[in-house]
Amino acid sequence: MADSWVNSAEILGSDLPLELSGTGNRRAVLMRALREAITSGRLAPGTRLPPYRSLAVDLGLARNTVADAYAELVAEGWLAARQGSGTRVAERAVPLSRTYRQRTRERTARPVHDLVQGKPDPSVFPRTAWLASARRALDRAPHDAFGPGDPHGRAELREALTAYLARVRGVRTSPERIVLCSGAAHGLRLLADVVGGPWAVEAYGLPFHRELLAGHGVRTRPVAVDEHGARIGELGRGERAVLLTPAHQFPTGGPLHPERRAAAVDWARATGGLVVEDDYDGEFRYDRQPVGAVQGLDPEHVVLLGSVSKSLSPTLRIGWMVLPERLVDGVLAAKGEREQWSSATEQLTLADFVGSGSYDRQVRRMRQRHRRRRDQLVAALERRAPHVRVSGIAAGLHAVLDLPRGTERSVVRAAAWQGLAVDGLSSYLHPAAVGAGARRDGLVVGYATPPEHGYEEALAALCRALPPE
């Protein structure tokens, strides 16, 4: 049977197509398509379906074919039909008999608890302080703030960041050498276009960043990671840049050793390469002294990438690039003639938020909260799984739980059965590093996301999923 697409804007009031494809009689094909639309979430519980006569006309099917399909799906529990209210997706659209694979998919698709790294709890956004900054910023905003945006970013925010980053991260720069962007990913895209490749990257890191670079034609080579961070001695002369997370290696944890920080700068000077420093959570430290940015060692050979996605919210879409002078014009040219990525009014608001001290207060507040969350995680493991080693906890928003070799996949599956979303450590390993003895079994546990009322149960679910001693 040929594929048939019906625009549900006409029949369901939302932009979601209904696809008919596959073999079998027409009633079976229609039933299969409706089941798929329901299980995938495209047809939510309570959604009203079109009258069978209308759907029959739209699909070119006999009325009895559609009517019989509706009736059978009602009998199976997928749909509900009531006189006067038409046919709707059942509020609990669960078939009477399901396969093991279907049940697994349902549980993993809708986790009860979220311990995936990298996502702050949206409920702790500082709404009152942000609103006060927004009012002040709008009141003082010059008229040009409401015209075409400058790709360099608002001068007010670049000036505020210059002072803040110097004070908190030891960054040496000027407002002219800061280019605002929508986040670290946007900054990487721009650098990939300007610098070219290949790049060296840490063997453990965000797959998204590697895929992003590859999408811009930049090939990556993994550099091994140990307890002192990336092994800088493995860098060669063939790479144009190296992407590092020196403040807190992502995701294994720990700062880059001072000797290796200096070695990275020496490599860049000797080869003409570039150190790209992803400062993704440099402000969140707990049991150690502050670690300054590598950029402060050599502003002409290091790019620092930062954003407010962890400290405030990823929805603000505001980040920054602290650039060597020689790269500023190229990055601005790559970005385009006008600002297309982040709102000028939000940039002005952040400038006031930083300048007024509200940002410092928010970071301190979040640091205290995350430290308390971290301590709860460690305490829960000591009580319920003392045989599991936890590492990478001196800073950041996540921890790594080491697991016995060969158990990671089964533990991730067990976590899913507990209604828990959590990542395995191996999912962050560069594919080319798999055969080099670099693989570790473990979990990357983010402790920032769960709400307060659900955090203890999330930890209990985590401990239930861990292997016994």
Side-chain angles (χ1 to χ4, degrees), residues 105-298:
R105 185 165 57 243
E106 289 167 10
R107 295 201 65 159
T108 57
R110 297 180 177 85
V112 178
H113 306 292
D114 189 352
L115 291 180
V116 174
Q117 64 76 31
K119 297 185 291 184
D121 181 357
S123 70
V124 296
F125 183 81
R127 301 187 188 205
T128 301
W130 185 261
L131 180 60
S133 285
R135 286 172 173 162
R136 288 192 296 268
L138 287 174
D139 185 58
R140 296 193 297 257
H143 294 313
D144 67 353
F146 303 97
D150 182 348
H152 214 136
R154 293 298 305 181
E156 297 90 339
L157 180 53
R158 290 187 283 115
E159 291 168 1
L161 287 172
T162 298
Y164 175 80
L165 293 173
R167 172 170 55 85
V168 175
R169 305 292 296 122
V171 169
R172 294 190 289 148
T173 190
S174 64
E176 294 73 28
R177 292 167 64 166
I178 295 179
V179 174
L180 300 182
C181 53
S182 66
H186 185 203
L188 283 177
R189 290 187 179 97
L190 294 170
L191 289 173
D193 290 339
V194 173
V195 177
W199 286 27
V201 298
E202 295 165 326
Y204 280 96
L206 276 174
F208 171 67
H209 286 171
R210 298 193 294 265
E211 293 162 3
L212 182 155
L213 291 171
H216 285 255
V218 174
R219 180 173 53 85
T220 59
R221 181 181 69 84
V223 173
V225 172
D226 60 24
E227 66 272 18
H228 298 303
R231 294 179 181 174
I232 302 301
E234 295 184 5
L235 293 177
R237 305 187 72 87
E239 287 84 25
R240 303 292 297 274
V242 57
L243 176 60
L244 300 174
T245 51
H248 185 228
Q249 201 289 319
F250 181 89
T252 63
L256 186 63
H257 192 278
E259 291 183 2
R260 295 186 182 182
R261 294 159 66 89
V265 171
D266 289 342
W267 168 84
R269 290 170 176 166
T271 64
L274 187 70
V275 175
V276 180
E277 179 177 10
D278 183 0
D279 200 36
Y280 74 99
D281 66 358
E283 296 152 318
F284 296 117
R285 63 187 187 279
Y286 313 120
D287 302 324
R288 70 178 191 207
Q289 294 298 313
V291 177
V294 173
Q295 189 273 353
L297 299 179
D298 191 338

Side-chain angles (χ1 to χ4, degrees), residues 308-331:
V308 296
S309 64
K310 304 292 191 299
S311 54
L312 288 175
S313 169
T315 62
L316 292 179
R317 309 307 305 156
I318 299 178
W320 49 86
M321 311 171 67
V322 181
L323 296 166
E325 185 176 4
R326 61 189 167 91
L327 292 181
V328 173
D329 289 343
V331 168

Side-chain angles (χ1 to χ4, degrees), residues 24 28 35 69 82 96 98-99 127 129 132 149 169 181 196-198 241 248 269 271 316 320 356 358 371 391 427 456:
R35 289 192 194 99
R82 293 184 180 178
L96 296 180
R98 298 175 298 173
T99 66
R127 301 187 188 205
R169 305 292 296 122
C181 53
H248 185 228
R269 290 170 176 166
T271 64
L316 292 179
W320 49 86
S356 67
S358 294
R371 178 169 186 160
S391 60
S427 64
E456 284 292 343

